[in-house]
Amino acid sequence: MQIIADVGGIPGKDCRGFCKYCYFRKVKDGDPLGCKHCLPGHIGCDHCTDGVRETKNDFIQPFIVISSVQTSLMMGNNRDQDLKVNISGGGDVSCYPHLLEITSAFSQWDIPIHLGYTSGKGIDNPKTASDLLSHGVDEVTYTVFSTDAQMRERWMGDPSPQASLDALKIFCESCDVHAASVIVPGVNDGDKLFETCAKLEEWGAKALILMRFANFRNQGLILGNEPIIKGVEPHSLKEFEEMVHSINKEFGLRITGTPLCDPETDAPFAISLDKNREYLDILSKVTSEATIVSSKVAAPFIERILDHVEASSLVNVVAADQDIGCLITQQDLEELDLTDVKETVIIPGRAFVYDKKAEEIFSRDGVERLVARGPDKLSVDGEMSGTLSREDVLKTELIAFQDLIEAINFFGVRKN
């Protein structure tokens, strides 16, 4: 169990400036995207307006953060042996000016502390890492990008890159470190990536997640901020997957990738593999017709699973021109050809589309279609699977696909 200690923060403002590759670079205010949280009759809510842009959440005062965690402890089950405080925020937690103050306060409760995503750009003195460890920090998720100090300075805008790397080394030697690197082609891939992996392994890091650099709208830049870096063509999905497998073979680190893949657990969509086909026998039978709208990454996997459960004659999959299903927007739906879309449409649960607008889009050819939302997730990406076992992934996927099948059978057109 984790108790979230949200310290707030705004990308670019509370992290000592944007990294060159940052997803939030160039984001501007704009119209709400629409989502499942919007109230009936009104497009827009905190989630799909300010929330997705993360532009309105300044750093939170330390007494509020401490009080919130204390309240959670009082209301929860303190006997949980796996209880942990996870310090996270919209900015960079290492830049939170009261970080040592709140970790010192948390240390009195003898609960392990996890530092959520940090780039270390807020660490000017490696001793800070030692102080945090003495306060009970036993897990850190650290964006390293590269162990080359000059590269960190150039690409991350790190004002004290060597101190940040020295702090990372101290963390690696004393606690569980899950490192992360956004991979920019021709910059920190190839030999540079091997050098980073070798150094992390030498220092004692536990894991490394490789994150494909996104530069275009269909790779997730849905906030009008493409391209992040002009002239850079990100790795193709196939190139990136091959890179993850290559690094995994060479190093003892727990290697995962996002949006693909996890060589150890076979995520995402481990249940699509022939060797796991027997697990699909526990799923309910598909009895209704529907169309599933998904992403370019997920669609082939979903099709294979539907074929395995003998449902492909009833359910077809239409892929939007978007790599991540959760980031499908109204624009993506408007670009779909409705020729093969059935009378019932299942869209991703977290898609950024207003429900009523989705119904209008799918009925624009004169066929009145029912639009429903499926589960929020059908699998897990490398950010989550890196802490899960193969059995955990399979269980998560089976639960999600059972929910999906139930939605199909409930909302779809019944077939005898």
Side-chain angles (χ1 to χ4, degrees), residues 33 217 222 322 327-334 352-353:
L33 296 169
R217 189 189 179 282
I222 61 174
Q322 187 64 253
L327 299 179
I328 287 175
T329 68
Q330 176 180 325
Q331 178 179 330
D332 297 311
L333 298 187
E334 290 172 339
F352 280 103
V353 187

Side-chain angles (χ1 to χ4, degrees), residues 219-240:
Q219 295 168 342
L221 301 185
I222 61 174
L223 302 176
N225 55 329
E226 65 164 329
I228 299 295
I229 306 173
K230 291 183 179 180
V232 175
E233 183 69 35
H235 295 99
S236 69
L237 291 170
K238 183 178 180 181
E239 289 172 337
F240 188 80

Side-chain angles (χ1 to χ4, degrees), residues 84-106:
K84 183 169 289 192
V85 175
N86 186 346
I87 302 175
S88 63
D92 185 326
V93 298
S94 71
C95 297
Y96 182 59
H98 311 287
L99 182 59
L100 289 174
E101 180 181 344
I102 64 170
T103 54
S104 177
F106 297 157

Side-chain angles (χ1 to χ4, degrees), residues 10-67:
I10 299 172
K13 174 186 174 184
D14 297 316
C15 55
R16 288 189 160 181
F18 286 113
C19 297
K20 285 186 178 181
Y21 54 79
C22 181
Y23 174 92
F24 289 99
R25 273 189 66 209
K26 303 182 181 180
V27 170
K28 302 177 180 65
D29 290 338
D31 295 332
L33 296 169
C35 67
K36 68 177 181 180
H37 302 292
C38 296
L39 295 175
H42 180 73
I43 300 178
C45 64
D46 287 342
H47 177 70
C48 64
T49 306
D50 294 336
V52 67
R53 292 176 172 85
E54 297 192 19
T55 56
K56 305 292 183 182
N57 188 16
D58 287 315
F59 275 144
I60 299 170
Q61 290 297 314
F63 73 89
I64 296 177
V65 178
I66 295 169
S67 177

Side-chain angles (χ1 to χ4, degrees), residues 41-331:
H42 180 73
I43 300 178
C45 64
D46 287 342
H47 177 70
C48 64
T49 306
D50 294 336
V52 67
R53 292 176 172 85
E54 297 192 19
T55 56
K56 305 292 183 182
N57 188 16
D58 287 315
F59 275 144
I60 299 170
Q61 290 297 314
F63 73 89
I64 296 177
V65 178
I66 295 169
S67 177
S68 175
V69 171
Q70 187 172 30
T71 300
S72 296
L73 285 171
M74 293 173 61
M75 299 296 290
N77 182 1
N78 296 344
R79 293 172 296 178
D80 190 331
Q81 296 300 310
D82 296 323
L83 187 64
K84 183 169 289 192
V85 175
N86 186 346
I87 302 175
S88 63
D92 185 326
V93 298
S94 71
C95 297
Y96 182 59
H98 311 287
L99 182 59
L100 289 174
E101 180 181 344
I102 64 170
T103 54
S104 177
F106 297 157
S107 68
Q108 66 183 306
W109 298 315
D110 264 343
I111 300 173
I113 299 171
H114 173 204
L115 289 187
Y117 272 114
T118 176
S119 68
K121 285 164 64 174
I123 298 177
D124 293 322
N125 187 337
K127 183 179 180 298
T128 300
S130 300
D131 292 339
L132 289 167
L133 290 166
S134 71
H135 290 173
V137 170
D138 75 344
E139 185 178 10
V140 181
T141 305
Y142 206 103
T143 297
V144 58
F145 186 72
S146 171
T147 51
D148 182 318
Q150 291 183 339
M151 191 171 289
R152 274 186 62 98
E153 182 177 20
R154 186 181 318 122
W155 281 86
M156 300 180 69
D158 190 341
S160 49
Q162 192 56 55
S164 301
L165 290 172
D166 291 343
L168 173 57
K169 182 174 183 290
I170 292 171
F171 281 132
C172 288
E173 293 170 342
S174 304
C175 71
D176 288 344
V177 170
H178 302 266
S181 289
V182 175
I183 307 301
V184 181
V187 179
N188 63 336
D189 58 352
D191 291 343
K192 286 294 184 181
L193 178 55
F194 271 72
E195 291 172 10
T196 294
C197 291
K199 190 63 71 175
L200 289 172
E201 190 170 60
E202 175 191 330
W203 291 345
K206 183 176 182 179
L208 171 65
I209 177 171
L210 307 179
M211 311 175 82
R212 186 180 68 145
F213 170 61
N215 207 29
F216 304 110
R217 189 189 179 282
N218 67 351
Q219 295 168 342
L221 301 185
I222 61 174
L223 302 176
N225 55 329
E226 65 164 329
I228 299 295
I229 306 173
K230 291 183 179 180
V232 175
E233 183 69 35
H235 295 99
S236 69
L237 291 170
K238 183 178 180 181
E239 289 172 337
F240 188 80
E241 185 175 14
E242 290 174 350
M243 183 193 307
V244 174
H245 280 287
S246 174
I247 295 297
N248 183 65
K249 289 178 182 177
E250 293 292 331
F251 297 95
L253 297 163
R254 177 77 162 85
I255 301 294
T256 58
T258 183
L260 293 166
C261 57
D262 184 340
E264 184 169 316
T265 66
D266 297 318
F269 300 102
I271 60 172
S272 70
L273 300 180
D274 288 339
K275 68 179 181 180
N276 296 324
R277 193 166 179 171
E278 61 183 291
Y279 292 97
L280 297 175
D281 292 340
I282 70 173
L283 296 175
S284 298
K285 182 179 177 62
V286 176
T287 59
S288 298
E289 281 190 342
T291 291
I292 296 172
V293 173
S294 191
S295 67
K296 289 192 300 183
V297 171
F301 293 108
I302 299 173
E303 287 177 334
R304 188 172 186 181
I305 293 167
L306 290 173
D307 186 55
H308 284 340
V309 298
E310 300 180 350
S312 54
S313 63
L314 293 173
V315 182
N316 67 322
V317 183
V318 173
D321 187 22
Q322 187 64 253
D323 286 349
I324 309 299
C326 297
L327 299 179
I328 287 175
T329 68
Q330 176 180 325
Q331 178 179 330

